[in-house]
């Protein structure tokens, strides 16, 4: 009788983890930490990458909102 690998829960599959990170970002970190397939070293590295990427994207978002705000203020001043 061949050995069967235990069935992996759907929320522990790597593809679902990647989709969760793309959709909700750092809110998916608990899924990573409860996943038994990753070592502690891998969990720490992935967590650090996600946190740094989230911070960077937040800074870029704030900067873009400032630029858009400046643009619309200039447009408003020229209109009136």
């Amino acid at each position: 009788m061949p050995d069967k690998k235990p069935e992996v829960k759907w929320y522990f599959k790597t593809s679902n983890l990647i989709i969760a990170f793309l959709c909700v970002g750092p809110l998916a970190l608990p899924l990573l930490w409860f996943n038994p397939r990753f070592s502690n070293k891998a969990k720490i590295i992935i967590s650090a990458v996600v946190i740094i990427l989230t911070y960077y994207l937040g800074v870029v978002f704030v900067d873009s909102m400032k630029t858009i705000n400046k643009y619309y203020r200039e447009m408003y001043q020229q209109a009136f």
Side-chain angles (χ1 to χ4, degrees):
M1 184 181 270
D3 293 331
K4 287 188 175 181
K5 290 184 179 181
E7 184 77 21
V8 177
K9 302 277 186 184
W10 67 269
Y11 46 84
F12 286 148
K13 291 185 179 179
T14 305
S15 60
N16 289 338
L17 189 61
I18 292 170
I19 291 170
F21 277 126
L22 292 175
C23 292
V24 294
L27 296 177
L29 283 175
L31 284 176
L32 171 70
W33 281 94
F34 287 123
N35 195 330
R37 295 172 54 191
F38 292 101
S39 67
N40 282 342
K41 184 178 179 181
K43 290 175 185 179
I44 291 170
I45 292 170
I46 294 170
S47 296
V49 168
V50 168
I51 291 170
I52 291 168
L53 185 62
T54 301
Y55 175 77
Y56 174 73
L57 290 175
V59 169
V60 169
F61 176 75
V62 168
D63 186 46
S64 65
M65 288 295 108
K66 287 179 183 177
T67 304
I68 291 172
N69 189 15
K70 180 181 171 185
Y71 173 76
Y72 278 115
R73 282 181 192 245
E74 290 176 6
M75 293 298 293
Y76 181 75
Q77 289 175 355
Q78 289 178 1
F80 296 104

